[in-house]
DNA sequence: GAGTTTGAAACT
DNA sequence: CAGTTTCAAACTC
């Protein structure tokens, strides 16, 4: 039994905390932020993402980034935020008071830890997602509200959807 | 563009 | 664990 200074955070969680930080993962821990980086505000600062990156333009703002959120209340630190849920920082998003940014890394890591305590699979980064499950009731699983449908997947036996039309 | 609907995530 | 609330995206008008 190895000595564990922080029994509430598993090695896997620690691994994810690092691997889910796209920029910090490429630095040594504690290494100061690049002065020329666009992320050079003091940690814990709160700001409107649009103020830094300009007006949100979903068509062109995101370069090399799959997601662009518009979160308003969650500081982009909940799984409601697509960027956060996919282990991405918010860059060029239309979100407000975003904390899913390197200078709020400490808060971000706390949130990641909380999410993973709730669901260790939340950040499924180590393996591709082949199946999803949904609980749709009204959409017939034929609209993007349905996670299966929106991922281009058919519903499966694990789904608890009602009136499913997304069978294959 | 504003308002509504939807279902996941979060909370109790 | 079940029911409820909150949330942001999808959708409709």
């Amino acid at each position: 039994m190895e000595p564990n200074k922080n029994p509430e955070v598993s090695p896997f969680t620690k691994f994810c905390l690092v691997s889910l930080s796209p920029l910090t993962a490429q630095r040594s821990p504690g290494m100061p932020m690049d002065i020329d980086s666009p992320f050079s505000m003091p940690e814990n600062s709160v700001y409107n993402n649009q103020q830094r990156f300009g007006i949100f333009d979903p068509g062109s703002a995101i370069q090399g980034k799959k997601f662009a959120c518009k979160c308003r209340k969650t500081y982009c630190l909940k799984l409601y935020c697509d960027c956060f849920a996919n282990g991405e920082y918010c860059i060029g998003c239309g979100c407000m008071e975003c904390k899913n940014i390197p200078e709020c890394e400490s808060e971000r890591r706390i949130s990641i830890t909380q999410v993973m305590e709730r669901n260790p699979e939340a950040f499924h980064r180590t393996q591709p997602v082949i199946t999803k499950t949904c609980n749709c009731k009204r959409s017939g699983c034929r609209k993007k509200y349905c996670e299966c449908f929106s991922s281009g997947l058919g519903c499966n036996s694990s789904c608890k959807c009602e009136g499913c039309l997304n069978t294959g």
Side-chain angles (χ1 to χ4, degrees):
Chain A
M1 183 77 175
E2 61 175 353
N4 192 345
K5 300 149 268 180
N6 189 353
E8 294 181 4
V9 179
S10 70
F12 178 68
T13 299
K14 288 179 180 175
F15 165 76
C16 289
L17 285 172
V18 173
S19 65
L20 287 168
S21 298
L23 298 181
T24 54
Q26 297 166 20
R27 304 196 308 265
S28 301
M31 187 176 179
M33 199 70 64
D34 186 342
I35 301 174
D36 295 329
S37 163
F39 307 103
S40 53
M41 292 175 67
E43 183 153 329
N44 297 327
S45 62
V46 175
Y47 72 100
N48 177 344
N49 217 339
Q50 293 186 30
Q51 290 174 356
R52 174 176 301 179
F53 297 103
I55 301 301
F56 171 54
D57 178 358
S60 62
I62 313 307
Q63 296 165 348
K65 191 165 174 295
K66 302 186 193 72
F67 309 95
C69 70
K70 292 184 284 187
C71 306
R72 291 174 300 163
K73 297 186 176 182
T74 61
Y75 307 109
C76 299
L77 291 182
K78 305 275 187 182
L79 290 176
Y80 296 123
C81 176
D82 273 348
C83 306
F84 179 79
N86 286 280
E88 302 266 2
Y89 287 128
C90 285
I91 300 174
C93 299
C95 43
M96 302 288 291
E97 301 188 20
C98 181
K99 294 189 178 182
N100 183 30
I101 52 176
E103 52 271 54
C104 293
E105 190 64 32
S106 57
E107 285 184 69
R108 183 174 179 272
R109 290 186 180 212
I110 290 169
S111 189
I112 290 172
T113 303
Q114 290 172 342
V115 168
M116 291 189 62
E117 284 172 356
R118 206 175 293 128
N119 173 19
E121 306 289 321
F123 301 101
H124 35 62
R125 276 215 137 189
T126 53
Q127 53 192 6
V129 178
I130 324 170
T131 61
K132 292 221 173 197
T133 60
C134 70
N135 302 286
C136 304
K137 290 180 171 53
R138 306 176 69 92
S139 67
C141 302
R142 275 197 164 170
K143 300 203 172 182
K144 285 191 173 181
Y145 299 125
C146 174
E147 289 220 326
C148 303
F149 180 85
S150 66
S151 300
L153 302 169
C155 291
N156 59 77
S157 56
S158 299
C159 294
K160 296 174 182 172
C161 41
E162 300 174 7
C164 182
L165 299 172
N166 184 32
T167 53

